[in-house]
mmCIF file of all heavy atoms in Angstrom:
data_model
loop_
_atom_site.group_PDB
_atom_site.id
_atom_site.type_symbol
_atom_site.label_atom_id
_atom_site.label_comp_id
_atom_site.label_asym_id
_atom_site.label_seq_id
_atom_site.Cartn_x
_atom_site.Cartn_y
_atom_site.Cartn_z
ATOM 1 N N ASP A 109 -30.891 -5.505 16.505
ATOM 2 C CA ASP A 109 -32.033 -6.428 16.432
ATOM 3 C C ASP A 109 -32.774 -6.360 15.104
ATOM 4 O O ASP A 109 -33.772 -7.042 14.907
ATOM 5 C CB ASP A 109 -33.016 -6.130 17.570
ATOM 6 C CG ASP A 109 -32.420 -6.420 18.941
ATOM 7 O OD1 ASP A 109 -31.601 -7.345 19.044
ATOM 8 O OD2 ASP A 109 -32.772 -5.718 19.905
ATOM 9 N N GLU A 110 -32.278 -5.554 14.195
ATOM 10 C CA GLU A 110 -32.941 -5.339 12.905
ATOM 11 C C GLU A 110 -32.260 -6.213 11.843
ATOM 12 O O GLU A 110 -31.452 -5.730 11.049
ATOM 13 C CB GLU A 110 -32.837 -3.849 12.545
ATOM 14 C CG GLU A 110 -33.640 -3.417 11.345
ATOM 15 C CD GLU A 110 -33.433 -1.936 11.049
ATOM 16 O OE1 GLU A 110 -33.106 -1.183 11.995
ATOM 17 O OE2 GLU A 110 -33.592 -1.548 9.883
ATOM 18 N N ILE A 111 -32.584 -7.486 11.844
ATOM 19 C CA ILE A 111 -31.905 -8.422 10.944
ATOM 20 C C ILE A 111 -32.528 -8.340 9.553
ATOM 21 O O ILE A 111 -33.676 -8.740 9.351
ATOM 22 C CB ILE A 111 -31.993 -9.865 11.471
ATOM 23 C CG1 ILE A 111 -31.591 -9.934 12.945
ATOM 24 C CG2 ILE A 111 -31.121 -10.784 10.617
ATOM 25 C CD1 ILE A 111 -30.168 -9.565 13.231
ATOM 26 N N ASN A 112 -31.761 -7.830 8.613
ATOM 27 C CA ASN A 112 -32.243 -7.721 7.230
ATOM 28 C C ASN A 112 -31.891 -9.006 6.469
ATOM 29 O O ASN A 112 -30.911 -9.083 5.726
ATOM 30 C CB ASN A 112 -31.676 -6.477 6.539
ATOM 31 C CG ASN A 112 -30.190 -6.247 6.823
ATOM 32 O OD1 ASN A 112 -29.658 -6.717 7.826
ATOM 33 N ND2 ASN A 112 -29.527 -5.510 5.949
ATOM 34 N N PHE A 113 -32.734 -10.010 6.695
ATOM 35 C CA PHE A 113 -32.488 -11.347 6.173
ATOM 36 C C PHE A 113 -32.381 -11.372 4.643
ATOM 37 O O PHE A 113 -31.524 -12.084 4.090
ATOM 38 C CB PHE A 113 -33.603 -12.300 6.613
ATOM 39 C CG PHE A 113 -33.534 -12.697 8.065
ATOM 40 C CD1 PHE A 113 -34.364 -12.088 9.000
ATOM 41 C CD2 PHE A 113 -32.646 -13.664 8.487
ATOM 42 C CE1 PHE A 113 -34.307 -12.459 10.342
ATOM 43 C CE2 PHE A 113 -32.574 -14.041 9.819
ATOM 44 C CZ PHE A 113 -33.406 -13.435 10.744
ATOM 45 N N GLU A 114 -33.237 -10.654 3.974
ATOM 46 C CA GLU A 114 -33.250 -10.725 2.511
ATOM 47 C C GLU A 114 -31.968 -10.164 1.910
ATOM 48 O O GLU A 114 -31.454 -10.700 0.917
ATOM 49 C CB GLU A 114 -34.471 -9.978 1.960
ATOM 50 C CG GLU A 114 -35.793 -10.675 2.241
ATOM 51 C CD GLU A 114 -35.814 -12.114 1.726
ATOM 52 O OE1 GLU A 114 -35.360 -12.347 0.589
ATOM 53 O OE2 GLU A 114 -36.278 -13.009 2.477
ATOM 54 N N ASP A 115 -31.441 -9.103 2.508
ATOM 55 C CA ASP A 115 -30.169 -8.548 2.024
ATOM 56 C C ASP A 115 -29.047 -9.573 2.181
ATOM 57 O O ASP A 115 -28.217 -9.751 1.286
ATOM 58 C CB ASP A 115 -29.814 -7.272 2.791
ATOM 59 C CG ASP A 115 -30.735 -6.110 2.443
ATOM 60 O OD1 ASP A 115 -31.194 -6.047 1.291
ATOM 61 O OD2 ASP A 115 -30.988 -5.270 3.331
ATOM 62 N N ALA A 116 -29.033 -10.246 3.339
ATOM 63 C CA ALA A 116 -27.990 -11.247 3.597
ATOM 64 C C ALA A 116 -28.142 -12.446 2.659
ATOM 65 O O ALA A 116 -27.154 -12.978 2.144
ATOM 66 C CB ALA A 116 -28.045 -11.693 5.050
ATOM 67 N N LYS A 117 -29.385 -12.865 2.446
ATOM 68 C CA LYS A 117 -29.644 -14.021 1.589
ATOM 69 C C LYS A 117 -29.215 -13.740 0.150
ATOM 70 O O LYS A 117 -28.596 -14.591 -0.515
ATOM 71 C CB LYS A 117 -31.134 -14.357 1.646
ATOM 72 C CG LYS A 117 -31.514 -15.634 0.935
ATOM 73 C CD LYS A 117 -33.006 -15.930 1.147
ATOM 74 C CE LYS A 117 -33.422 -17.214 0.448
ATOM 75 N NZ LYS A 117 -34.874 -17.489 0.659
ATOM 76 N N LYS A 118 -29.534 -12.562 -0.319
ATOM 77 C CA LYS A 118 -29.164 -12.178 -1.686
ATOM 78 C C LYS A 118 -27.646 -12.128 -1.840
ATOM 79 O O LYS A 118 -27.086 -12.597 -2.834
ATOM 80 C CB LYS A 118 -29.778 -10.816 -2.015
ATOM 81 C CG LYS A 118 -29.481 -10.333 -3.421
ATOM 82 C CD LYS A 118 -30.146 -8.988 -3.682
ATOM 83 C CE LYS A 118 -29.807 -8.477 -5.083
ATOM 84 N NZ LYS A 118 -30.413 -7.141 -5.337
ATOM 85 N N ARG A 119 -26.976 -11.580 -0.827
ATOM 86 C CA ARG A 119 -25.520 -11.460 -0.876
ATOM 87 C C ARG A 119 -24.852 -12.840 -0.814
ATOM 88 O O ARG A 119 -23.851 -13.080 -1.493
ATOM 89 C CB ARG A 119 -25.042 -10.609 0.304
ATOM 90 C CG ARG A 119 -23.552 -10.351 0.348
ATOM 91 C CD ARG A 119 -23.112 -9.458 -0.786
ATOM 92 N NE ARG A 119 -21.710 -9.057 -0.624
ATOM 93 C CZ ARG A 119 -21.024 -8.347 -1.509
ATOM 94 N NH1 ARG A 119 -21.630 -7.964 -2.639
ATOM 95 N NH2 ARG A 119 -19.770 -8.021 -1.296
ATOM 96 N N GLU A 120 -25.420 -13.756 -0.017
ATOM 97 C CA GLU A 120 -24.813 -15.085 0.120
ATOM 98 C C GLU A 120 -24.865 -15.854 -1.197
ATOM 99 O O GLU A 120 -23.982 -16.661 -1.484
ATOM 100 C CB GLU A 120 -25.478 -15.886 1.241
ATOM 101 C CG GLU A 120 -24.766 -17.184 1.552
ATOM 102 C CD GLU A 120 -25.275 -17.885 2.803
ATOM 103 O OE1 GLU A 120 -26.173 -17.357 3.480
ATOM 104 O OE2 GLU A 120 -24.752 -18.990 3.098
ATOM 105 N N LYS A 121 -25.883 -15.613 -2.002
ATOM 106 C CA LYS A 121 -25.957 -16.262 -3.313
ATOM 107 C C LYS A 121 -24.796 -15.835 -4.200
ATOM 108 O O LYS A 121 -24.334 -16.584 -5.058
ATOM 109 C CB LYS A 121 -27.287 -15.933 -3.989
ATOM 110 C CG LYS A 121 -28.469 -16.718 -3.438
ATOM 111 C CD LYS A 121 -29.729 -16.462 -4.256
ATOM 112 C CE LYS A 121 -30.879 -17.327 -3.753
ATOM 113 N NZ LYS A 121 -32.117 -17.128 -4.549
ATOM 114 N N GLU A 122 -24.328 -14.622 -3.970
ATOM 115 C CA GLU A 122 -23.233 -14.084 -4.773
ATOM 116 C C GLU A 122 -21.868 -14.538 -4.253
ATOM 117 O O GLU A 122 -21.010 -14.958 -5.036
ATOM 118 C CB GLU A 122 -23.284 -12.548 -4.778
ATOM 119 C CG GLU A 122 -24.545 -11.975 -5.396
ATOM 120 C CD GLU A 122 -24.632 -10.463 -5.214
ATOM 121 O OE1 GLU A 122 -23.657 -9.869 -4.700
ATOM 122 O OE2 GLU A 122 -25.673 -9.877 -5.576
ATOM 123 N N VAL A 123 -21.680 -14.462 -2.927
ATOM 124 C CA VAL A 123 -20.337 -14.691 -2.375
ATOM 125 C C VAL A 123 -20.159 -16.068 -1.748
ATOM 126 O O VAL A 123 -19.044 -16.460 -1.403
ATOM 127 C CB VAL A 123 -19.976 -13.596 -1.341
ATOM 128 C CG1 VAL A 123 -20.018 -12.219 -1.988
ATOM 129 C CG2 VAL A 123 -20.900 -13.643 -0.126
ATOM 130 N N ARG A 124 -21.259 -16.811 -1.532
ATOM 131 C CA ARG A 124 -21.201 -18.163 -0.962
ATOM 132 C C ARG A 124 -20.522 -18.180 0.413
ATOM 133 O O ARG A 124 -19.765 -19.103 0.721
ATOM 134 C CB ARG A 124 -20.460 -19.122 -1.912
ATOM 135 C CG ARG A 124 -21.048 -19.232 -3.298
ATOM 136 C CD ARG A 124 -22.440 -19.840 -3.258
ATOM 137 N NE ARG A 124 -23.019 -19.935 -4.600
ATOM 138 C CZ ARG A 124 -24.264 -20.326 -4.862
ATOM 139 N NH1 ARG A 124 -25.053 -20.665 -3.858
ATOM 140 N NH2 ARG A 124 -24.720 -20.373 -6.096
ATOM 141 N N HIS A 125 -20.789 -17.174 1.221
ATOM 142 C CA HIS A 125 -20.170 -17.111 2.550
ATOM 143 C C HIS A 125 -21.159 -16.457 3.509
ATOM 144 O O HIS A 125 -21.473 -15.273 3.372
ATOM 145 C CB HIS A 125 -18.871 -16.301 2.497
ATOM 146 C CG HIS A 125 -17.970 -16.535 3.673
ATOM 147 N ND1 HIS A 125 -18.252 -16.035 4.923
ATOM 148 C CD2 HIS A 125 -16.803 -17.216 3.787
ATOM 149 C CE1 HIS A 125 -17.285 -16.391 5.765
ATOM 150 N NE2 HIS A 125 -16.396 -17.111 5.105
ATOM 151 N N ASP A 126 -21.642 -17.236 4.478
ATOM 152 C CA ASP A 126 -22.709 -16.721 5.333
ATOM 153 C C ASP A 126 -22.259 -15.574 6.231
ATOM 154 O O ASP A 126 -22.982 -14.580 6.405
ATOM 155 C CB ASP A 126 -23.321 -17.849 6.175
ATOM 156 C CG ASP A 126 -22.318 -18.587 7.041
ATOM 157 O OD1 ASP A 126 -21.098 -18.388 6.865
ATOM 158 O OD2 ASP A 126 -22.757 -19.378 7.907
ATOM 159 N N VAL A 127 -21.043 -15.667 6.792
ATOM 160 C CA VAL A 127 -20.594 -14.606 7.701
ATOM 161 C C VAL A 127 -20.389 -13.299 6.947
ATOM 162 O O VAL A 127 -20.885 -12.238 7.371
ATOM 163 C CB VAL A 127 -19.302 -15.025 8.433
ATOM 164 C CG1 VAL A 127 -18.745 -13.845 9.254
ATOM 165 C CG2 VAL A 127 -19.575 -16.208 9.359
ATOM 166 N N MET A 128 -19.700 -13.357 5.837
ATOM 167 C CA MET A 128 -19.465 -12.120 5.080
ATOM 168 C C MET A 128 -20.759 -11.543 4.522
ATOM 169 O O MET A 128 -20.883 -10.321 4.344
ATOM 170 C CB MET A 128 -18.459 -12.377 3.949
ATOM 171 C CG MET A 128 -17.050 -12.665 4.453
ATOM 172 S SD MET A 128 -16.471 -11.452 5.676
ATOM 173 C CE MET A 128 -16.481 -9.948 4.688
ATOM 174 N N SER A 129 -21.738 -12.382 4.278
ATOM 175 C CA SER A 129 -23.049 -11.893 3.816
ATOM 176 C C SER A 129 -23.727 -11.079 4.913
ATOM 177 O O SER A 129 -24.356 -10.050 4.634
ATOM 178 C CB SER A 129 -23.937 -13.067 3.409
ATOM 179 O OG SER A 129 -23.345 -13.790 2.363
ATOM 180 N N HIS A 130 -23.583 -11.531 6.157
ATOM 181 C CA HIS A 130 -24.206 -10.798 7.254
ATOM 182 C C HIS A 130 -23.372 -9.597 7.686
ATOM 183 O O HIS A 130 -23.925 -8.619 8.211
ATOM 184 C CB HIS A 130 -24.488 -11.743 8.427
ATOM 185 C CG HIS A 130 -25.756 -12.516 8.238
ATOM 186 N ND1 HIS A 130 -26.976 -12.077 8.701
ATOM 187 C CD2 HIS A 130 -25.998 -13.693 7.585
ATOM 188 C CE1 HIS A 130 -27.924 -12.949 8.376
ATOM 189 N NE2 HIS A 130 -27.356 -13.936 7.695
ATOM 190 N N VAL A 131 -22.064 -9.632 7.478
ATOM 191 C CA VAL A 131 -21.255 -8.424 7.670
ATOM 192 C C VAL A 131 -21.742 -7.350 6.690
ATOM 193 O O VAL A 131 -21.936 -6.184 7.060
ATOM 194 C CB VAL A 131 -19.756 -8.725 7.440
ATOM 195 C CG1 VAL A 131 -18.947 -7.420 7.378
ATOM 196 C CG2 VAL A 131 -19.215 -9.624 8.546
ATOM 197 N N TYR A 132 -21.956 -7.767 5.458
ATOM 198 C CA TYR A 132 -22.444 -6.844 4.422
ATOM 199 C C TYR A 132 -23.828 -6.301 4.784
ATOM 200 O O TYR A 132 -24.073 -5.086 4.704
ATOM 201 C CB TYR A 132 -22.493 -7.585 3.082
ATOM 202 C CG TYR A 132 -23.210 -6.856 1.978
ATOM 203 C CD1 TYR A 132 -22.587 -5.839 1.254
ATOM 204 C CD2 TYR A 132 -24.537 -7.170 1.660
ATOM 205 C CE1 TYR A 132 -23.254 -5.165 0.235
ATOM 206 C CE2 TYR A 132 -25.212 -6.508 0.652
ATOM 207 C CZ TYR A 132 -24.566 -5.505 -0.055
ATOM 208 O OH TYR A 132 -25.240 -4.830 -1.056
ATOM 209 N N ALA A 133 -24.738 -7.200 5.195
ATOM 210 C CA ALA A 133 -26.104 -6.769 5.518
ATOM 211 C C ALA A 133 -26.117 -5.814 6.704
ATOM 212 O O ALA A 133 -26.859 -4.813 6.706
ATOM 213 C CB ALA A 133 -26.974 -7.994 5.813
ATOM 214 N N TYR A 134 -25.318 -6.102 7.714
ATOM 215 C CA TYR A 134 -25.224 -5.212 8.883
ATOM 216 C C TYR A 134 -24.660 -3.855 8.458
ATOM 217 O O TYR A 134 -25.111 -2.800 8.906
ATOM 218 C CB TYR A 134 -24.322 -5.866 9.929
ATOM 219 C CG TYR A 134 -24.491 -5.376 11.358
ATOM 220 C CD1 TYR A 134 -25.533 -4.533 11.756
ATOM 221 C CD2 TYR A 134 -23.572 -5.778 12.340
ATOM 222 C CE1 TYR A 134 -25.663 -4.122 13.073
ATOM 223 C CE2 TYR A 134 -23.693 -5.382 13.662
ATOM 224 C CZ TYR A 134 -24.738 -4.536 14.021
ATOM 225 O OH TYR A 134 -24.871 -4.128 15.324
ATOM 226 N N GLY A 135 -23.687 -3.883 7.535
ATOM 227 C CA GLY A 135 -23.090 -2.646 7.036
ATOM 228 C C GLY A 135 -24.069 -1.771 6.277
ATOM 229 O O GLY A 135 -23.956 -0.537 6.296
ATOM 230 N N LEU A 136 -25.051 -2.395 5.607
ATOM 231 C CA LEU A 136 -26.072 -1.606 4.918
ATOM 232 C C LEU A 136 -26.878 -0.772 5.907
ATOM 233 O O LEU A 136 -27.304 0.359 5.588
ATOM 234 C CB LEU A 136 -27.012 -2.530 4.143
ATOM 235 C CG LEU A 136 -26.434 -3.271 2.925
ATOM 236 C CD1 LEU A 136 -27.499 -4.163 2.305
ATOM 237 C CD2 LEU A 136 -25.884 -2.287 1.891
ATOM 238 N N LEU A 137 -27.105 -1.331 7.099
ATOM 239 C CA LEU A 137 -27.863 -0.621 8.122
ATOM 240 C C LEU A 137 -26.988 0.352 8.910
ATOM 241 O O LEU A 137 -27.501 1.285 9.535
ATOM 242 C CB LEU A 137 -28.497 -1.629 9.098
ATOM 243 C CG LEU A 137 -29.452 -2.656 8.498
ATOM 244 C CD1 LEU A 137 -29.885 -3.657 9.565
ATOM 245 C CD2 LEU A 137 -30.672 -1.977 7.881
ATOM 246 N N CYS A 138 -25.686 0.107 8.895
ATOM 247 C CA CYS A 138 -24.742 0.907 9.685
ATOM 248 C C CYS A 138 -23.636 1.447 8.781
ATOM 249 O O CYS A 138 -22.477 1.004 8.870
ATOM 250 C CB CYS A 138 -24.140 0.065 10.804
ATOM 251 S SG CYS A 138 -25.329 -0.753 11.875
ATOM 252 N N PRO A 139 -23.950 2.390 7.904
ATOM 253 C CA PRO A 139 -22.949 2.868 6.936
ATOM 254 C C PRO A 139 -21.720 3.506 7.589
ATOM 255 O O PRO A 139 -20.620 3.424 7.044
ATOM 256 C CB PRO A 139 -23.733 3.882 6.096
ATOM 257 C CG PRO A 139 -24.915 4.260 6.929
ATOM 258 C CD PRO A 139 -25.249 3.036 7.727
ATOM 259 N N LYS A 140 -21.897 4.138 8.741
ATOM 260 C CA LYS A 140 -20.756 4.767 9.415
ATOM 261 C C LYS A 140 -19.834 3.725 10.060
ATOM 262 O O LYS A 140 -18.632 3.962 10.202
ATOM 263 C CB LYS A 140 -21.251 5.741 10.484
ATOM 264 C CG LYS A 140 -22.029 6.926 9.918
ATOM 265 C CD LYS A 140 -22.598 7.778 11.043
ATOM 266 C CE LYS A 140 -23.463 8.920 10.471
ATOM 267 N NZ LYS A 140 -24.108 9.710 11.546
ATOM 268 N N ALA A 141 -20.410 2.600 10.435
ATOM 269 C CA ALA A 141 -19.627 1.592 11.163
ATOM 270 C C ALA A 141 -19.224 0.412 10.291
ATOM 271 O O ALA A 141 -18.492 -0.468 10.755
ATOM 272 C CB ALA A 141 -20.439 1.082 12.363
ATOM 273 N N LYS A 142 -19.659 0.369 9.037
ATOM 274 C CA LYS A 142 -19.445 -0.840 8.248
ATOM 275 C C LYS A 142 -17.970 -1.200 8.093
ATOM 276 O O LYS A 142 -17.613 -2.378 7.994
ATOM 277 C CB LYS A 142 -20.121 -0.721 6.889
ATOM 278 C CG LYS A 142 -19.473 0.274 5.932
ATOM 279 C CD LYS A 142 -20.180 0.235 4.573
ATOM 280 C CE LYS A 142 -19.495 1.177 3.580
ATOM 281 N NZ LYS A 142 -20.137 1.105 2.251
ATOM 282 N N GLY A 143 -17.105 -0.213 8.124
ATOM 283 C CA GLY A 143 -15.678 -0.464 7.953
ATOM 284 C C GLY A 143 -14.999 -1.121 9.131
ATOM 285 O O GLY A 143 -13.894 -1.663 8.988
ATOM 286 N N ILE A 144 -15.649 -1.103 10.302
ATOM 287 C CA ILE A 144 -15.010 -1.700 11.485
ATOM 288 C C ILE A 144 -15.750 -2.947 11.981
ATOM 289 O O ILE A 144 -15.374 -3.534 12.998
ATOM 290 C CB ILE A 144 -14.878 -0.657 12.623
ATOM 291 C CG1 ILE A 144 -16.247 -0.048 13.008
ATOM 292 C CG2 ILE A 144 -13.908 0.440 12.226
ATOM 293 C CD1 ILE A 144 -16.939 -0.674 14.150
ATOM 294 N N ILE A 145 -16.785 -3.360 11.252
ATOM 295 C CA ILE A 145 -17.485 -4.600 11.629
ATOM 296 C C ILE A 145 -16.573 -5.792 11.347
ATOM 297 O O ILE A 145 -16.001 -5.911 10.269
ATOM 298 C CB ILE A 145 -18.803 -4.750 10.839
ATOM 299 C CG1 ILE A 145 -19.762 -3.611 11.145
ATOM 300 C CG2 ILE A 145 -19.468 -6.094 11.152
ATOM 301 C CD1 ILE A 145 -21.001 -3.588 10.242
ATOM 302 N N HIS A 146 -16.391 -6.669 12.333
ATOM 303 C CA HIS A 146 -15.626 -7.913 12.160
ATOM 304 C C HIS A 146 -14.125 -7.642 12.021
ATOM 305 O O HIS A 146 -13.376 -8.465 11.512
ATOM 306 C CB HIS A 146 -16.153 -8.667 10.929
ATOM 307 C CG HIS A 146 -15.827 -10.119 10.871
ATOM 308 N ND1 HIS A 146 -16.334 -11.040 11.755
ATOM 309 C CD2 HIS A 146 -15.029 -10.833 10.004
ATOM 310 C CE1 HIS A 146 -15.873 -12.250 11.430
ATOM 311 N NE2 HIS A 146 -15.073 -12.146 10.382
ATOM 312 N N LEU A 147 -13.651 -6.496 12.514
ATOM 313 C CA LEU A 147 -12.265 -6.086 12.323
ATOM 314 C C LEU A 147 -11.301 -7.024 13.050
ATOM 315 O O LEU A 147 -11.376 -7.193 14.263
ATOM 316 C CB LEU A 147 -12.072 -4.645 12.832
ATOM 317 C CG LEU A 147 -10.690 -4.020 12.634
ATOM 318 C CD1 LEU A 147 -10.335 -3.965 11.145
ATOM 319 C CD2 LEU A 147 -10.649 -2.621 13.243
ATOM 320 N N GLY A 148 -10.405 -7.646 12.294
ATOM 321 C CA GLY A 148 -9.399 -8.534 12.869
ATOM 322 C C GLY A 148 -9.881 -9.938 13.155
ATOM 323 O O GLY A 148 -9.101 -10.776 13.623
ATOM 324 N N ALA A 149 -11.149 -10.205 12.890
ATOM 325 C CA ALA A 149 -11.739 -11.494 13.270
ATOM 326 C C ALA A 149 -11.825 -12.437 12.069
ATOM 327 O O ALA A 149 -11.720 -12.011 10.910
ATOM 328 C CB ALA A 149 -13.122 -11.289 13.852
ATOM 329 N N THR A 150 -12.014 -13.712 12.363
ATOM 330 C CA THR A 150 -12.330 -14.702 11.340
ATOM 331 C C THR A 150 -13.752 -15.190 11.566
ATOM 332 O O THR A 150 -14.376 -14.864 12.590
ATOM 333 C CB THR A 150 -11.330 -15.872 11.381
ATOM 334 O OG1 THR A 150 -11.551 -16.707 10.233
ATOM 335 C CG2 THR A 150 -11.493 -16.697 12.637
ATOM 336 N N SER A 151 -14.278 -15.968 10.627
ATOM 337 C CA SER A 151 -15.687 -16.364 10.693
ATOM 338 C C SER A 151 -16.037 -17.058 11.999
ATOM 339 O O SER A 151 -17.152 -16.907 12.523
ATOM 340 C CB SER A 151 -16.016 -17.304 9.528
ATOM 341 O OG SER A 151 -15.807 -16.662 8.293
ATOM 342 N N CYS A 152 -15.107 -17.842 12.523
ATOM 343 C CA CYS A 152 -15.395 -18.584 13.752
ATOM 344 C C CYS A 152 -15.580 -17.674 14.955
ATOM 345 O O CYS A 152 -16.092 -18.114 15.987
ATOM 346 C CB CYS A 152 -14.289 -19.594 14.030
ATOM 347 S SG CYS A 152 -14.339 -20.994 12.886
ATOM 348 N N TYR A 153 -15.154 -16.420 14.825
ATOM 349 C CA TYR A 153 -15.387 -15.498 15.944
ATOM 350 C C TYR A 153 -16.880 -15.408 16.242
ATOM 351 O O TYR A 153 -17.302 -15.508 17.396
ATOM 352 C CB TYR A 153 -14.822 -14.103 15.652
ATOM 353 C CG TYR A 153 -15.276 -13.098 16.683
ATOM 354 C CD1 TYR A 153 -14.811 -13.170 17.989
ATOM 355 C CD2 TYR A 153 -16.234 -12.122 16.372
ATOM 356 C CE1 TYR A 153 -15.264 -12.287 18.965
ATOM 357 C CE2 TYR A 153 -16.687 -11.241 17.334
ATOM 358 C CZ TYR A 153 -16.197 -11.319 18.632
ATOM 359 O OH TYR A 153 -16.668 -10.453 19.596
ATOM 360 N N VAL A 154 -17.688 -15.229 15.196
ATOM 361 C CA VAL A 154 -19.133 -15.188 15.442
ATOM 362 C C VAL A 154 -19.736 -16.583 15.471
ATOM 363 O O VAL A 154 -20.582 -16.887 16.315
ATOM 364 C CB VAL A 154 -19.877 -14.297 14.413
ATOM 365 C CG1 VAL A 154 -19.609 -12.840 14.678
ATOM 366 C CG2 VAL A 154 -19.520 -14.669 12.987
ATOM 367 N N GLY A 155 -19.294 -17.467 14.577
ATOM 368 C CA GLY A 155 -19.891 -18.798 14.500
ATOM 369 C C GLY A 155 -19.680 -19.614 15.761
ATOM 370 O O GLY A 155 -20.632 -20.100 16.374
#
């Protein structure tokens, strides 16, 4: 529930991809789990 919007927004300006920006932002909060976030999925999995 801790959505770090600014981290995601900053990342999206760089990569132009909303899902990967939020994978990155979630990974900042979850360093131990960042490697398995979105594993095997495509953007439409969450979208």
Side-chain angles (χ1 to χ4, degrees):
D109 294 328
E110 189 182 334
I111 311 296
N112 43 337
F113 286 101
E114 290 305 316
D115 290 328
K117 187 176 180 180
K118 181 179 178 182
R119 182 68 172 175
E120 188 171 358
K121 283 186 176 181
E122 298 173 5
V123 301
R124 302 295 179 186
H125 198 287
D126 57 349
V127 173
M128 292 311 298
S129 300
H130 278 269
V131 169
Y132 169 80
Y134 201 9
L136 292 179
L137 301 175
C138 306
K140 295 175 184 176
K142 70 176 183 178
I144 57 95
I145 298 171
H146 200 67
L147 183 60
T150 189
S151 299
C152 288
Y153 170 69
V154 287

